[in-house]
């Protein structure tokens, strides 16, 4: 929605809340010269790292998060899902 931003990059996922900045400062002079009363800022509210896969896509799904992931082959030729599915699929 307009108040949530989901960011996936490499092995990192971050959830950010988009919030309106309070306009003006603490005194009348600061408030008088404030230029962007509708300005927004972002706060990171959650973050996690993946260890066995790379983020290829993200999508919200209700209160959950769907992740499209690339699972690279391990050094021994096997992948984390199993040996019947190629990691390229």
């Amino acid at each position: 929605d307009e108040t949530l931003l989901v960011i996936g990059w490499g092995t990192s996922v971050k959830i950010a809340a988009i919030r309106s900045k309070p306009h003006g400062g603490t005194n009348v002079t600061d408030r008088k010269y404030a230029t962007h009363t509708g300005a927004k800022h972002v706060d990171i509210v959650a973050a996690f790292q993946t260890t066995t896969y790379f983020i290829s896509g993200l999508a919200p799904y209700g209160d959950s998060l769907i992740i499209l992931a690339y699972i690279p082959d391990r050094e021994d030729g096997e992948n984390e899902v199993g040996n019947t599915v190629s990691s390229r699929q």
Side-chain angles (χ1 to χ4, degrees), residues 56-79:
S56 297
L58 295 170
Y61 185 70
D63 290 338
S64 299
L65 188 64
I66 295 175
I67 297 177
L68 176 63
Y70 170 72
I71 304 169
D73 288 335
R74 295 188 319 209
E75 289 182 19
D76 60 6
E78 302 250 342
N79 61 40

Side-chain angles (χ1 to χ4, degrees), residues 7-74:
I7 306 161
W9 183 262
T11 61
S12 175
V13 175
K14 295 184 181 181
I15 313 289
I18 302 169
R19 300 189 173 125
S20 296
K21 283 188 177 182
H23 50 276
T26 56
N27 63 43
V28 175
T29 304
D30 288 344
R31 278 185 261 143
K32 182 178 178 183
Y33 295 105
T35 57
H36 296 289
T37 58
K40 308 273 185 189
H41 73 276
V42 175
D43 292 323
I44 303 297
V45 295
F48 63 91
Q49 292 286 126
T50 65
T51 57
T52 58
Y53 57 88
F54 295 98
I55 308 298
S56 297
L58 295 170
Y61 185 70
D63 290 338
S64 299
L65 188 64
I66 295 175
I67 297 177
L68 176 63
Y70 170 72
I71 304 169
D73 288 335
R74 295 188 319 209

